[in-house]
Amino acid sequence: MDHFRYLDHRLHCEQVPLDQIAEHVGTPFYCYSRATLERHFDVFRDAFSSIEHLICYSVKANSTLAVLDTLAKRGAGFDIVSGGELARVKRVGCPGQRVVFSGVGKTEAEIRAALEHRVLMFNVESQPELLRINALAGQMGLRAPIALRINPDVDPATHPYISTGLKRNKFGIPHQQAEELYRLAATLEHVQPIGLDCHIGSQLTTLEPFVDALKRVKALLLRLRQQGIAIRYLDLGGGLGIPYDTQQTPPHPERYAEALLREIAGLDVVLILEPGRVIVGNAGILVARVEYVKSGEEKRFIITDAGMNDLLRPALYDAHHTILPVTRRFDREEIMADVVGPICESGDFLARDRMLPEFHAGELLAVRSAGAYGFSMSSNYNSRPRAAEVMVHQDRFAVVRPRETIEQLMEHEVPFV
Ligand SMILES: *Cc1c(COP(=O)(O)O)cnc(C)c1O
């Protein structure tokens, strides 16, 4: 459930009409509904209320400070994958004890910064990383709490670019090697194995892969305990999908929680979850203006002022995003069209071969479900300033990140002399 809907044929975010925001901030802009963010977080958290748990929102889905701040105030912890993300969660006042650090390529500087902030644990993805963390913690006179990220080799049946739990993926430690690496970790002086982690992919629309992965890591956890390696934290990653259109019906967080809780009953662990998309995906939209409508030989092109630099998902994953007119009219014909951006790439589209109401130049359109992996993946390709970001709460809106200026794009560049 989200708070984007038509009132008097004008698309609103909560109680604010989007055309009004466009008038103030220009286009394109991202718009986030705070009520939706809070609701999605609460529903997810409440689903796990029967056991001790920590919800570590995955910062990479949307790392805008206003989003992080909203979630931190709700009691969220954070899953980070870089030193930059660590700085962001520190900025919103999140204590280290609510932060887990994931990622295959943690640098020395990033590990040091995370040790200084006393993160809850490092999700370690390889033996060399384990040894590096041990060495750095030793230099700092600390003992680093760690989990190993296990690659359970289950097929999440999602887009290949967002599946991470298969043998062929770069992520995690093959589950057959995990026990040996835990035994090594237990002998190291400056790491303390306290957790077990896995994350199998993103935009999963069925529960079976989650349950299959959990069965594998649970068996491992029990074997480790038999060997005296006391695993207290079980981190099951993120990955729960969202409906990008009305035909998709991914499991509700309550069903997801039921399935996981059934499997870990009696296990005596603190459960960590790292949801990203399911919290923020449908809490944000991208609003763009139609610049031109062009009739090709075979189809129509709706050319907008937002492109793949603003929203990369269609180009990168062939992702589907629902497109809506900001002003609804019932006298429009539906026509087959591509919605494209101004970027010089054929992959620059927001929708392809879509039946859409006839749009006219100058009109506003909204790209739904753009809150996750939208702004956070945006770039300056074609020297385009990144879009403005706006947050709405009830009948108020505020710019939470101003549109970049062209001056800012060149600010630090100098000719070679
Ligand atoms: C990307 C990622 C997540 C979040 O995935 P969603 O599909 O957005 O829920 C969680 N954990 C890790 C380690 C990730 O890389």
Side-chain angles (χ1 to χ4, degrees):
M1 209 213 83
D2 63 56
H3 291 81
F4 295 96
R5 66 197 182 293
Y6 288 103
L7 291 170
D8 285 334
H9 305 303
R10 292 163 87 192
L11 189 61
H12 282 61
C13 176
E14 302 190 26
Q15 293 151 39
V16 182
L18 290 160
D19 51 26
Q20 188 189 322
I21 301 176
E23 217 167 276
H24 278 86
V25 307
T27 52
F29 66 92
Y30 277 93
C31 178
Y32 308 118
S33 154
R34 199 167 98 182
T36 308
L37 259 182
E38 292 175 340
R39 187 192 141 78
H40 288 175
F41 181 77
D42 291 355
V43 165
F44 196 93
R45 180 197 53 203
D46 293 350
F48 290 94
S49 60
S50 66
I51 63 154
E52 203 182 335
H53 70 276
L54 179 63
I55 311 292
C56 290
Y57 164 75
S58 175
V59 174
K60 75 179 194 288
N62 185 320
S63 55
T64 299
L65 290 176
V67 169
L68 302 184
D69 183 54
T70 300
L71 296 173
K73 290 204 168 90
R74 232 50 195 175
F78 296 100
D79 169 45
I80 59 167
V81 294
S82 72
E85 289 188 354
L86 174 64
R88 285 182 174 272
V89 304
K90 280 168 71 176
R91 180 69 71 85
V92 299
C94 184
Q97 283 308 296
R98 294 216 304 261
V99 178
V100 295
F101 190 2
S102 303
V104 289
K106 302 176 190 78
T107 64
E108 290 197 3
E110 287 173 329
I111 292 167
R112 275 202 201 91
L115 284 168
E116 261 161 33
H117 195 53
R118 304 287 193 273
V119 297
L120 177 63
M121 64 186 190
F122 291 82
N123 289 336
V124 175
E125 303 220 12
S126 65
Q127 174 166 332
E129 182 193 333
L130 180 68
L131 297 177
R132 178 181 271 186
I133 292 173
N134 183 57
L136 294 171
Q139 286 168 19
M140 295 169 70
L142 297 172
R143 194 148 186 222
I146 61 118
L148 298 188
R149 174 169 173 180
I150 308 308
N151 184 332
D153 194 28
V154 299
D155 186 352
T158 184
H159 189 281
Y161 288 7
I162 47 178
S163 81
T164 57
L166 282 166
K167 262 188 206 150
R168 64 168 177 272
N169 299 129
K170 70 177 175 183
F171 297 99
I173 291 154
H175 64 106
Q176 300 87 343
Q177 293 171 22
E179 253 178 276
E180 203 185 320
L181 202 53
Y182 267 108
R183 281 196 291 270
L184 172 67
T187 67
L188 298 175
E189 215 174 318
H190 298 288
V191 297
Q192 185 173 19
I194 60 164
L196 180 53
D197 169 47
C198 87
H199 168 76
I200 56 174
S202 199
Q203 185 53 19
L204 272 70
T205 52
T206 61
L207 293 175
E208 288 74 29
F210 288 116
V211 174
D212 290 348
L214 175 48
K215 286 197 160 104
R216 289 218 160 141
V217 295
K218 180 176 149 187
L220 173 61
L221 186 142
L222 293 172
R223 289 199 301 276
L224 292 170
R225 280 188 177 165
Q226 278 170 6
Q227 297 168 48
I229 299 173
I231 301 298
R232 173 160 169 71
Y233 294 95
L234 180 59
D235 183 341
L236 295 177
L240 186 58
I242 61 167
Y244 280 95
D245 65 33
T246 49
Q247 266 108 65
Q248 288 174 314
T249 50
H252 189 276
E254 280 166 12
R255 303 289 89 70
Y256 168 74
E258 276 166 20
L260 300 185
L261 292 175
R262 194 176 313 129
E263 204 57 46
I264 65 162
L267 208 52
D268 188 27
V269 286
V270 179
L271 189 61
I272 298 178
L273 297 147
E274 304 169 350
R277 191 189 308 271
V278 73
I279 305 293
V280 76
N282 275 322
I285 61 169
L286 173 64
V287 176
R289 197 174 287 281
V290 177
E291 292 285 343
Y292 301 101
V293 178
K294 166 170 155 175
S295 293
E297 291 263 295
E298 285 176 13
K299 58 185 163 190
R300 200 156 310 184
F301 295 97
I302 297 165
I303 303 169
T304 73
D305 61 4
M308 66 188 282
N309 75 298
D310 299 299
L311 181 64
L312 185 60
R313 298 191 67 259
L316 189 61
Y317 312 126
D318 208 13
H320 175 102
H321 285 267
T322 298
I323 307 251
L324 295 173
V326 167
T327 308
R328 187 165 59 173
R329 297 196 341 234
F330 290 107
D331 56 352
R332 294 179 205 244
E333 245 184 278
E334 294 247 317
I335 51 159
M336 180 71 81
D338 283 10
V339 181
V340 303
I343 305 256
C344 301
E345 297 275 348
S346 294
D348 178 27
F349 61 91
L350 299 173
R352 264 199 309 204
D353 297 326
R354 195 76 69 78
M355 287 305 288
L356 288 171
E358 205 166 6
F359 279 98
H360 301 290
E363 266 186 285
L364 296 170
L365 61 76
V367 184
R368 282 194 62 113
S369 314
Y373 308 104
F375 187 88
S376 65
M377 279 189 166
S378 68
S379 77
N380 296 121
Y381 189 38
N382 280 206
S383 285
R384 288 166 46 81
R386 277 178 296 173
E389 291 178 286
V390 172
M391 187 173 277
V392 170
H393 182 226
Q394 298 173 350
D395 60 354
R396 290 190 300 121
F397 75 89
V399 175
V400 295
R401 191 180 198 278
R403 181 180 314 287
E404 271 176 340
T405 64
I406 288 176
E407 257 325 295
Q408 280 173 327
L409 295 188
M410 297 183 285
E411 205 167 44
H412 303 294
E413 291 183 46
V414 289
F416 177 76
V417 286

